[in-house]
Amino acid sequence: MKLAVIGYPIRHSKSPFMHNIWMNELNIDGQYEAIEVSPDQLEQQIHFFKENNYTGFNVTIPHKENVIQHLDDIDEAAKDLGAVNTVLIKNGKCTGYNTDGNGFLQSLLTKRSEAEIRQARILILGAGGAAKGITGSLKSFGASQISIANRTSAKAVSLVDALGLTGEGMDLSKAQNQLQDYDIVINTTSVGMFPHIHQLPIDTSFMKKGALAADIIYNPLRTQFLLKAESAGADSLNGIGMFVFQGALAFEMWTSRKPEAAEMIIKITDKMKQE
Ligand code: NAP
């Protein structure tokens, strides 16, 4: 079985490490490789995958939106999102999916029960691609109280409207003032990502004790957003879980086998600590 991830750049991707271990563990004869593809090579690369009998591929920055025009079909949820991170090739046809939102949801379920998620007052920071997928998945799951805050507040307001959320769309300073009201606060912005590790989107040292701070960033493993939340007595969840579960959902689509995720979270965490 031939699988790959395409991006530009791609050399830091942990996807080959993860998928090759899973194939090994499940005795699947195959290989998952990372291929650097510039925007002008994208169409040609997809033809190559089709002609060379690849089973599928992952798509990362900057191709998540642009890949759609080169696919034969797209899943409804990915179409609404306007972004694809997983492609399945069957009978020479490419179908696009997006497993990011459900990957985050699976990760959240390692920290909170189904009922807790449905009843929680949830605040999402950011209104970009990842925020859209995560908010859509949380809403479909039955989370009933979701608000969104973004630097560009108009984007937060339109996302709240588009998804018909009961919460509000706001800017980051309003979210800062309301922080005590939320049970789960999710950072989907890129603020705090390596190398800008001292930055944070809002000051989580004002979070409610016992609430959960979830960051989808995983480099660094412990962002300022998470460290400050912990100092306030909040629980924390980093982005490794989302990364592993989005990959596990893609792997299942390609192989019809369910890979082991909990052990993989530990393996990738250890690998990141060594780098
Ligand atoms: P995106 O579509 O470019 O959205 C970026 C978001 O960050 C926007 O809401 C943007 O606000 C906000 N932002 C950027 N710089 C900011 C700043 N200086 N201050 C305040 N807000 C700022 O990106 P994305 O695809 O959603 O990805 C976002 C992050 O998620 C990245 O760090 C990515 O690595 C991570 N991610 C992780 C996983 C995983 O598996 N763990 C999966 C996907 C993505 P504006 O709208 O105001 O510009």
Side-chain angles (χ1 to χ4, degrees):
M1 178 177 296
K2 288 191 264 189
L3 298 166
V5 56
I6 57 167
Y8 191 72
I10 198 66
R11 63 186 173 280
H12 294 298
S13 173
K14 302 283 176 289
S15 292
F17 172 81
M18 174 164 78
H19 287 278
N20 284 321
I21 289 178
W22 280 336
M23 280 198 271
N24 231 338
E25 284 174 354
L26 295 168
N27 291 319
I28 296 168
D29 185 19
Q31 207 193 339
Y32 183 111
E33 58 193 315
I35 306 175
E36 188 156 282
V37 177
S38 64
D40 60 322
Q41 297 169 321
L42 183 59
E43 188 172 7
Q44 195 187 336
Q45 185 63 44
I46 294 170
H47 279 300
F48 175 85
F49 287 145
K50 284 181 173 180
E51 281 159 18
N52 288 276
N53 298 317
Y54 276 67
T55 302
F57 58 97
N58 281 130
V59 182
T60 188
I61 293 167
H63 303 310
K64 285 187 179 185
E65 286 99 21
N66 286 338
V67 75
I68 294 173
Q69 60 188 306
H70 303 298
L71 303 177
D72 301 291
D73 205 355
I74 182 164
D75 158 76
E76 267 312 302
K79 190 175 171 186
D80 289 346
L81 222 59
V84 158
N85 79 334
T86 302
V87 175
L88 174 67
I89 307 174
K90 225 175 182 175
N91 304 324
K93 289 214 155 116
C94 285
T95 305
Y97 299 86
N98 197 309
T99 65
D100 278 339
N102 283 336
F104 175 79
L105 179 61
Q106 296 294 321
S107 175
L108 188 59
L109 282 163
T110 65
K111 285 281 184 182
R112 290 294 183 267
S113 70
E114 294 187 7
E116 282 169 337
I117 294 170
R118 292 196 174 107
Q119 286 154 19
R121 282 163 299 179
I122 299 176
L123 172 65
I124 295 183
L125 306 177
K132 280 187 200 162
I134 288 171
T135 311
S137 292
L138 286 170
K139 187 177 183 227
S140 304
F141 186 70
S144 57
Q145 305 177 70
I146 308 175
S147 289
I148 302 177
N150 194 42
R151 174 176 63 177
T152 313
S153 60
K155 280 203 224 165
V157 172
S158 46
L159 191 50
V160 163
D161 289 347
L163 291 171
L165 303 178
T166 53
E168 66 174 310
M170 63 190 113
D171 62 22
L172 293 172
S173 60
K174 188 163 184 190
Q176 179 74 67
N177 292 332
Q178 298 183 354
L179 205 48
Q180 282 279 326
D181 296 344
Y182 295 97
D183 306 304
I184 299 176
V185 181
I186 304 162
N187 178 34
T188 76
T189 75
S190 45
V191 182
M193 196 162 78
F194 181 84
H196 307 291
I197 59 168
H198 297 298
Q199 298 178 356
L200 73 175
I202 57 171
D203 187 351
T204 38
S205 49
F206 296 98
M207 268 180 77
K208 192 166 67 174
K209 196 167 182 223
L212 173 67
D215 203 330
I216 68 167
I217 291 172
Y218 56 83
N219 184 14
L221 289 167
R222 299 176 81 211
T223 55
Q224 279 297 314
F225 174 85
L226 296 181
L227 290 169
K228 293 233 173 187
E230 283 171 9
S231 74
D235 202 359
S236 70
L237 175 68
N238 70 19
I240 296 275
M242 173 176 174
F243 172 72
V244 169
F245 283 109
Q246 64 75 31
L249 291 168
F251 188 90
E252 238 183 295
M253 241 176 245
W254 296 322
T255 65
S256 303
R257 306 281 301 276
K258 203 177 170 69
E260 218 287 313
E263 273 295 311
M264 185 56 72
I265 290 173
I266 297 168
K267 284 191 181 105
I268 295 196
T269 303
D270 287 347
K271 187 172 167 62
M272 300 244 355
K273 281 181 185 163
Q274 283 158 19
E275 283 175 2

